[in-house]
Amino acid sequence: MEFCNFSEDEIRRINRALTFIGNKEIDLARVSGRTTVIKSDDFENECRQLARYYPHLGLESAGTRLVFNTDKDGGHKILLNRQGIDGLASIHALATELVHLGNLSRYNADHGNVYRLNPEQAIADHYYEFLLWSQFLAMKIATRAHALAAWHEVNGEAPPVDGCYRFSQIAFPDQGLRATLIAVQQAETLSAWREGYWDLLEKLVRYFGHLAFYQQEPLPTELDERFPSELIREVVGLDNCLAFYGTLLRARDYPAWQAEKHTLRRFVVAMQEQGKDAFPTEN
């Protein structure tokens, strides 16, 4: 991987953090050798220029921009906004984009040029479930890389003697989940509800991805006492939502996602159907 506008110390930190990503999760050797990471001073303008040739794929974020080259041997780029991402935050941002890059490379090889997917093909090839799963896995892996890198910043290079990392305090930002649940719950029409549903799913997968670093079972209340169980029960159904989380947990890598994609769709549809019940006259 080639780095532009990074110090030697930053590169050392990043390379150390990337060792916390499992080879079965993402084949870093396959994608990193063809990837350039650039800390950009003119991020917004560069993103506008890139959009002319590389349309959004549904995995973009505010502070990073992945340039995915669909050619088998083509080079990729990852832009990081120098103004908004610095220090250890760059580890989380870069790990996120590398996970997306690895997943897109596998999906593109299986289904053809992702930039040319029409809506019908995207549905048939489970592209929308793929996007949700990649966001979940990226959050899970990036949270791990960031947390363990931060641990070593405080405790030194040597790993824990017993192999177990321990953290004095764990925060669970809800990724705007509660506010999105309330907005969807207060939708006045079915069309407005549908518009908010995808945003809600994205908030859910990122929130669950953060939790997934710390647990292997779909038990969010054991970690986060503020988990909005009642709101979720009312809006999309708690049982379906937790089953959705459990399916994401089982999809540990791309082959596992392939095995679980039909189940993911089943729970996405089940949550959608429960939400639609609030608008019986419009169904």
Side-chain angles (χ1 to χ4, degrees), residues 112-160:
N113 191 326
V114 291
Y115 293 108
R116 297 177 183 171
L117 281 177
N118 59 52
E120 293 77 15
Q121 185 183 357
I123 292 171
D125 293 342
H126 291 80
Y127 182 64
Y128 302 111
E129 289 83 5
F130 167 79
L131 293 177
L132 293 172
W133 166 74
S134 191
Q135 290 180 74
F136 168 83
L137 190 67
M139 178 60 78
K140 173 185 174 182
I141 292 174
T143 298
R144 180 202 306 146
H146 180 269
L148 299 190
W151 187 95
H152 282 285
E153 287 290 311
V154 174
N155 297 284
E157 291 293 315

Side-chain angles (χ1 to χ4, degrees), residues 172 177-178 207-208 211-212 215 217-233 238 242 245:
F172 294 104
L177 176 58
R178 184 177 293 274
Y207 170 79
F208 286 145
L211 265 64
Q215 61 180 191
E217 299 293 332
L219 302 169
T221 54
E222 290 195 356
L223 292 175
D224 186 2
E225 61 183 15
R226 300 174 301 167
F227 177 66
S229 299
E230 289 305 314
L231 263 176
I232 288 175
R233 180 178 287 108
L238 183 60
L242 294 182
Y245 178 24

Side-chain angles (χ1 to χ4, degrees), residues 9-189:
D9 188 53
E10 286 175 318
I11 295 172
R12 178 191 62 78
R13 284 177 167 178
I14 290 170
N15 285 331
R16 174 60 185 271
L18 295 183
T19 65
F20 301 126
I21 300 177
N23 291 330
K24 290 185 178 180
E25 294 175 314
I26 297 296
D27 187 354
L28 284 176
R30 180 182 181 184
V31 298
S32 62
R34 297 188 285 119
T35 302
T36 302
V37 185
I38 304 168
K39 191 184 290 186
S40 172
D41 291 311
D42 193 16
F43 180 76
E44 292 185 4
N45 184 46
E46 289 189 56
C47 286
R48 281 193 295 269
Q49 294 182 36
L50 286 169
R52 298 164 56 190
Y53 308 101
Y54 297 93
H56 285 187
L57 293 170
L59 294 170
E60 288 71 27
S61 66
T64 58
R65 180 67 157 90
L66 172 62
V67 181
F68 172 61
N69 191 327
T70 58
D71 293 342
K72 183 178 179 181
D73 298 317
H76 312 290
K77 291 182 181 179
I78 299 174
L79 300 183
L80 274 65
N81 186 356
R82 183 190 290 272
Q83 306 306 317
I85 299 176
D86 206 358
L88 291 179
S90 63
I91 290 172
H92 195 286
L94 178 56
T96 295
E97 298 307 321
L98 285 172
V99 172
H100 292 327
L101 177 56
N103 291 336
L104 281 167
S105 297
R106 299 288 298 273
Y107 187 93
N108 189 78
D110 286 346
H111 299 287
N113 191 326
V114 291
Y115 293 108
R116 297 177 183 171
L117 281 177
N118 59 52
E120 293 77 15
Q121 185 183 357
I123 292 171
D125 293 342
H126 291 80
Y127 182 64
Y128 302 111
E129 289 83 5
F130 167 79
L131 293 177
L132 293 172
W133 166 74
S134 191
Q135 290 180 74
F136 168 83
L137 190 67
M139 178 60 78
K140 173 185 174 182
I141 292 174
T143 298
R144 180 202 306 146
H146 180 269
L148 299 190
W151 187 95
H152 282 285
E153 287 290 311
V154 174
N155 297 284
E157 291 293 315
V161 176
D162 61 359
C164 295
Y165 288 87
R166 294 175 176 83
F167 304 92
S168 58
Q169 187 176 4
I170 302 174
F172 294 104
D174 72 358
Q175 309 293 322
L177 176 58
R178 184 177 293 274
T180 304
L181 279 163
I182 293 172
V184 172
Q185 185 184 44
Q186 294 177 348
E188 296 182 355
T189 64

